Amino acid sequence: MRIDLRGRVAVVTGASSGIGRAAAVLLAGAGMRVVLGARRADRIQEAAERIRGAGGEARWLRADVTQAEDMARLVGEATAAYGRLDLLVANAGVGYFGRLESTPLAEARRLLDVNLLGTIHGIQAAVPVMRAQGSGHLLLVSSIVGKRASPGNGVYCATKFAQVALAESLRLELAEAGIQVSVVCPVSTTTEFFETARARSPLRFDPTGPVYSAEQVAGVILRVARRPRPEAMVYPPARLMVILNAIAPRVVDTLVAAYWKRVRPGL
Ligand code: NAP
């Protein structure tokens, strides 16, 4: 089933930079009316103006995903302005690079607040509207490390696994309500993500492995918005590792350890 996105309404969290911003621009380019949320109001205002300048429809609202009321206001902005909500892109996310044994609990809580509770807040704000409509699509931006964890970012991986679990559970809960649920799993993507996380982290991580641009990941988000599916890997061969990990985790441990020894000696 291919959805005609023209005239439909999307809310994108974390739309001030990287994947979220690129997704908002692409979805608007496909004819969606988009509402951009993030904490940096100047950035989302600029992105919304750019979309409008290109002939699209966009609104913006300063919204912190850790605040349930902010997510309710963001969804309210979409329904007040456009009368419906067809797609929630739950994209806002932050990282921390350090060994789990010495990760400060304040950092762990911050990741859980933004990546996990932030996703839940968005879902809880969007689902009642979609239920009432009898249609909608929740699209969660997880990660390849939400399918197979790597060393040096255990809490981050846990939050990304948690998003996959939320999506699996929701797919079954919402099947009868006509609401689609998808997870998009990017690999390394050149955004502000690494710089922002590095500023708070003891380890230095850079994009590694197959590296994508935010626009390429947004392209996958657009395809999934048009043709909802449970899970999309931005780098499709990564699925082989996920399958192998399900049947032989020790083999994947060995492969991942060897890879990480090469790219991050000393971790
Ligand atoms: P990014 O450029 O740093 O964007 C992160 C976005 O999240 C920003 O717009 C930021 O906006 C927003 N954000 C952070 N905390 C927030 C909060 N409390 N409330 C609302 N928004 C908040 O990084 P990105 O790479 O595009 O990341 C987007 C998603 O992709 C994340 O979920 C990340 O885990 C996932 N991902 C990234 C990569 C990668 O290699 N980059 C790989 C796999 C998955 P404000 O600071 O303005 O609030």
Side-chain angles (χ1 to χ4, degrees), residues 88-188:
L88 169 72
V89 182
N91 162 77
V94 290
Y96 175 85
F97 307 134
R99 284 175 174 269
L100 185 57
E101 70 208 47
S102 50
T103 297
L105 287 176
E107 286 300 323
R109 287 198 181 94
R110 186 176 68 91
L111 263 60
L112 290 165
D113 264 353
V114 177
N115 301 359
L116 176 52
L117 283 168
T119 302
I120 294 173
H121 293 151
I123 290 164
Q124 291 191 339
V127 167
V129 177
M130 293 178 175
R131 262 195 196 283
Q133 285 171 185
S135 68
H137 187 180
L138 304 167
L139 191 160
L140 314 187
V141 181
S142 175
S143 169
I144 182 57
V145 301
K147 301 295 291 180
R148 165 66 219 204
S150 55
N153 57 358
V155 180
Y156 176 72
C157 296
T159 64
K160 295 286 133 181
F161 264 75
Q163 288 178 305
V164 173
L166 292 179
E168 283 181 1
S169 180
L170 280 170
R171 270 203 297 281
L172 303 178
E173 288 181 8
L174 299 175
E176 314 268 287
I179 301 172
Q180 309 282 337
V181 187
S182 305
V183 175
V184 169
C185 296
V187 290
S188 280

Side-chain angles (χ1 to χ4, degrees), residues 36-60:
L36 294 84
R39 293 166 306 171
R40 286 171 293 177
D42 54 333
R43 296 276 205 105
I44 42 178
Q45 180 176 11
E46 182 274 322
E49 279 165 7
R50 185 185 147 183
I51 290 169
R52 289 198 288 264
E57 280 255 21
R59 301 178 75 85
W60 60 274

Side-chain angles (χ1 to χ4, degrees), residues 203-257:
L203 295 177
R204 189 193 159 89
F205 276 27
D206 298 294
T208 180
V211 178
Y212 284 75
S213 69
E215 288 69 26
Q216 286 174 305
V217 178
V220 175
I221 290 173
L222 175 62
R223 284 205 293 283
V224 174
R226 282 202 172 114
R227 287 185 197 279
R229 72 200 77 152
E231 223 171 71
M233 292 285 169
V234 169
Y235 175 62
R239 189 165 290 288
L240 293 175
M241 180 186 69
V242 176
I243 293 167
L244 183 59
N245 191 55
I247 52 179
R250 209 187 287 276
V251 173
V252 179
D253 279 359
T254 308
L255 296 173
V256 173

